[in-house]
Amino acid sequence: MIEVQLSTQEFLKVAKNHSNTSLTEAEFQINNLVNKRLPFAKLDMSKPHIMGIINITPDSFYKNSQINNLNKLKKSFNEMINNGASIIDIGGESSRPGAEKVSIVEEKKRVIDPIKHLKNYKGDFLISLDSRNLSTMKTCNKIGVDIYNDITAFKERNKIEFISKTASPVIIMHMQKEPTNMQINPKYTFAPIDIYKFFSKKIYKLTEAGVKKSNIVIDPGIGFGKTLSDNLNLLKYLPLFHGLGVPILIGASRKSLIAELTIHDYKLRGKNKKKIIPSKRLSGSLAFAIHANMCGVQILRTHDVFETNQALICQKLLHL
Amino acid sequence: MAFVKKTRYLLAPPYCRSVKTFICPILSSPSEGSDGLKLAGGWRCFKNLRVLQKKKII
């Protein structure tokens, strides 16, 4: 694999000098980068949005995000909405590395009442369901979930039929293998390109099945079946994914790559640091959120809405 | 894992039969210059690209 830096004009000129077919494809790819994204679930995609994470789980990797009663749910929800979240992502099954699958009955038991409760609130916010189970999606559709966020990228045919029939906005995530085994020896030729190709095929498959392209957001799945080097390459080459012509979501909030990078840096300086727990990973999360924003990423998925919003406010005033 | 080698020359013209070509925009702020293209109708701009190429296995 080689990398060459060219101006857009030079790139088009080289393509034109080769053939008309080459030029047409080059223009198509540039247009994919430039074309204004249509609203996603009525959200304006020409500005960044924050998605707040609510885990109705006893085993999510970041303990402070675990919600186990209505008062805590109300508190988290209000904090997120008042501090700039456009979307609240609710999940009833942990997808941390090594997590075991929970039964669909248990998952529904965890998420249905909280979603029903939040639907009573008036305001400019959307609820997204973080689930890989069709049955949970169908039940939540009846109680008014706005977006479906599937870590398996709607792998099964019947899930694709459901989202096509209901014309639902969806987030498709890339993950190698399953949460139980995804961190066991993940392999890529070059992660950004492999994952770009995965999404290209997936978007084609979904649109062929009747899903509108404007209803699709992609999530490269930081930490889902990737080594530290794969995650870093994904973050370095994030703008590549705009070539798919759909909005991008990034979730790096409090993930283990932040701990790995910190520990590595300590090691280089001869210091011993064995563990950095999720509650000590906020600064790294904000650094990645700012980076994603500078890469034009439209949705930032985070545990820390207030802090992420504050970082974006400060950054915006400096850069725009 | 593949090694990405930074060079000055393309392997072949973009999107020709022998290579796969991918483009990654190099982003900047609109305030840094008005002659760039707006990315996805949003808040970032680009004028230059990182062009990634690899040989197709035919």
Side-chain angles (χ1 to χ4, degrees), chain A residues 239-257:
Chain A
L240 171 85
F241 293 95
H242 288 290
L244 293 160
V246 299
I248 305 170
L249 178 150
I250 283 292
S253 182
R254 298 188 182 264
K255 286 190 175 165
S256 64
L257 85 152

Side-chain angles (χ1 to χ4, degrees), chain A residues 259-276:
Chain A
E260 286 178 70
L261 288 170
T262 316
I263 291 165
H264 178 70
D265 188 74
Y266 270 70
K267 242 182 214 167
L268 289 179
R269 291 186 285 119
K271 309 253 182 198
N272 189 22
K273 195 98 178 165
K274 282 188 180 144
K275 207 175 170 188
I276 310 239

